[in-house]
Amino acid sequence: MMSNIQRLENFLSLFSTDNRVLIVINADPDAIASALAVKRLLWRKVYEVKITYFNEIRRPDNLTMLRVLNIEMIPINEIDDKKFDRFVVVDSQPDHHECFAMFRYDAIIDHHPLSCDCAKFNDIRSGYGACSTMMTEYIKAAAIKPSQNLATALLMGIKTDTAGFLRQTTMDDVRAFQFLYKYVNPCLITRIEQAEFKENDLDFIASAIKKKKIINHRVYSHTGKIKNPDQCVITADFFMRMDSANWSIISGIYNEKLIIIMRNDGLRKSAGNTAKQAFASIGSAGGHQAMARVEIKMEDLAEVMGKDDFENKIGEWIIDQVEANAGVKTE
C-alpha cells in the first residue's frame, strides 16, 4: 500500500513553478476544505492556484463558512480555462456532474466510490468518511502546520460529511479530527454551525410538512418548483429528526431538473445504492450509506413518464421508484 508521503510526492510531481492550477469542485464544506488544502500544498510551488465551483451556494452555514474563513472562490462561468494548464478535482470524480466534463484532469482526489479514475494521478479511497480526512493526511505528510482557517475548514469538512461521526467513519477520520482540533478556532465552528436556517428555509420546511407522505417509515415530500435546492437538503435532514422516520426523500424542480435528496439512518439499505438502482438509468445518482442525491433533466423525465401532465405525477413516481428499489412494497 502506498504511504501518505509517497502519495504526496506523486501528487506534487505533476506541477512545476510556471503552472497555473484550477481546482474544480461541487462546493460543500468537504469540497471547499479539500480545495483549500490543495491550494496550501501548492503554495510557492506553482505560479497560481484558483478554486472554481459550479453549484449555487445558498445554505446559511456554507455561506457563513466562506465569510468567516475568508475563502475566495470563482464561479465557473467567470473562469477562462485557457489561462490554466493544470486541473484538479477534489471530493468528486469527473463523471459525477456534467460541469466536471469541461476539463481534463491531472489529479483526482476523492472519497466516493470509484467511478472515473481518468487522471494522471488518482487517489480515490471510498472507505474514508470525508475527503478532508485525506487532505489532512497530505498536509501532515508535507509537515505543514495548518493555519487556523485551514484547520477549521478541514475539521468542518470531516464533521459535516460524517455527520459528527454518526455516518460512515474510520479511525483515519477520527485521527485527522484530533490532529486538526489543536489548530482550530472553536468560536468559528460555533458561528458556522449556528447559521442553520433563514426565515424562508422555515417557510419551505412548513410547506414540505404539508405535502409529506409517510410510507414504510420513509418520509416523502415533493415540493414542486423551487428556488434553492439546498432547501431540499435542509428539509431532508430535518425530517430525519422524526422518531418514526428511517428515511427522508425530498424532491423539487430546479433549473429544468428534478432534484432528489435522500437521507436514511444508515442502518438499512444504502441510500447511495438505492438512488443508483432507482434513478441512474435516466440521470445522475449516487451517494453514501446514509445520504444520496439525484439529478434528472426534466426533458429526460418526460420521455420516461410520458409528457401528458407528468409534472403533477412526479411525487408518486418517486415513491414508486424508491419503494421498489428499497426492497419494500408500497402499502
Side-chain angles (χ1 to χ4, degrees):
M1 178 181 289
M2 189 179 299
S3 70
N4 290 325
I5 291 177
Q6 289 173 319
R7 290 190 181 98
L8 174 67
E9 291 174 344
N10 290 346
F11 174 71
L12 294 179
S13 70
L14 299 171
F15 307 97
S16 60
T17 54
D18 59 345
N19 287 145
R20 296 175 182 266
V21 182
L22 185 65
I23 307 169
V24 188
I25 63 171
N26 183 2
D28 64 15
D30 192 25
I32 293 168
S34 298
L36 289 177
V38 171
K39 189 173 184 179
R40 176 62 183 86
L41 289 169
L42 297 178
W43 182 52
R44 294 185 177 176
K45 290 182 172 60
V46 299
Y47 185 83
E48 181 182 36
V49 183
K50 297 291 184 183
I51 302 171
T52 189
Y53 65 99
F54 54 80
N55 58 314
E56 292 190 58
I57 306 172
R58 294 187 178 182
R59 286 186 58 165
D61 51 348
N62 293 352
L63 291 170
T64 301
M65 177 178 171
L66 293 176
R67 186 178 69 254
V68 302
L69 299 183
N70 299 313
I71 299 170
E72 294 183 5
M73 303 193 304
I74 304 171
I76 202 164
N77 58 6
E78 298 178 14
I79 285 290
D80 181 359
D81 64 311
K82 296 182 179 63
K83 292 183 177 180
F84 301 91
D85 57 2
R86 293 290 185 273
F87 298 90
V88 179
V89 58
V90 291
D91 195 37
S92 280
Q93 294 167 52
D95 62 345
H96 285 184
H97 193 281
E98 59 190 13
C99 286
F100 285 124
M102 296 170 59
F103 311 102
R104 298 186 67 175
Y105 294 97
D106 298 275
I108 301 169
I109 303 176
D110 188 27
H111 71 116
H112 295 92
L114 173 62
S115 61
C116 185
D117 55 349
C118 59
K120 297 174 184 175
F121 175 84
N122 302 281
D123 184 6
I124 301 170
R125 288 177 268 169
S126 60
Y128 280 56
C131 192
S132 291
T133 297
M134 298 169 63
M135 294 316 307
T136 300
E137 293 181 350
Y138 278 84
I139 292 293
K140 291 174 67 177
I144 293 173
K145 177 182 176 181
S147 68
Q148 178 178 272
N149 283 3
L150 176 57
T152 301
L154 287 168
L155 186 141
M156 288 302 305
I158 296 170
K159 194 171 184 182
T160 300
D161 260 37
T162 64
F165 301 105
L166 295 178
R167 293 193 190 121
Q168 175 179 323
T169 306
T170 68
M171 284 305 300
D172 297 296
D173 299 301
V174 175
R175 282 190 288 267
F177 188 95
Q178 291 173 329
F179 168 78
L180 294 166
Y181 195 79
K182 296 177 291 185
Y183 304 106
V184 303
N185 184 334
C187 294
L188 291 179
I189 294 173
T190 301
R191 178 70 189 91
I192 294 167
E193 291 184 328
Q194 286 182 344
E196 190 169 359
F197 297 122
K198 292 181 179 178
E199 183 176 348
N200 58 3
D201 293 332
L202 296 176
D203 293 338
F204 187 93
I205 292 172
S207 175
I209 289 173
K210 292 178 182 178
K211 298 174 181 177
K212 77 178 189 303
K213 295 184 179 181
I214 302 176
I215 302 170
N216 297 317
H217 299 287
R218 286 185 274 273
V219 185
Y220 295 87
S221 183
H222 179 62
T223 59
K225 292 185 177 180
I226 58 178
K227 297 180 179 179
N228 179 4
D230 284 340
Q231 290 179 321
C232 289
V233 177
I234 293 170
T235 304
D237 290 335
F238 177 83
F239 278 142
M240 284 304 297
R241 299 179 185 179
M242 291 175 55
D243 62 349
S244 60
N246 296 333
W247 292 64
S248 64
I249 300 95
I250 311 301
S251 55
I253 300 168
Y254 177 74
N255 279 354
E256 295 304 311
K257 287 184 178 180
L258 173 64
I259 309 295
I260 307 172
I261 303 298
M262 302 173 66
R263 296 288 186 266
N264 71 16
D265 57 14
L267 300 176
R268 294 161 181 82
K269 192 168 183 179
S270 164
N273 289 343
T274 298
K276 287 180 181 179
Q277 291 169 9
F279 304 109
S281 62
I282 56 172
S284 63
H288 299 286
Q289 180 74 18
M291 56 194 299
R293 183 184 182 100
V294 178
E295 294 190 12
I296 303 171
K297 292 180 180 179
M298 292 298 287
E299 59 189 78
D300 294 336
L301 187 61
E303 292 296 324
V304 172
M305 294 184 61
K307 297 182 180 181
D308 183 24
D309 195 33
F310 79 98
E311 287 193 24
N312 291 326
K313 304 172 185 176
I314 290 175
E316 291 299 324
W317 178 80
I318 291 172
I319 291 174
D320 290 342
Q321 303 311 303
V322 174
E323 292 297 315
N325 287 281
V328 181
K329 295 182 179 179
T330 304
E331 294 178 347

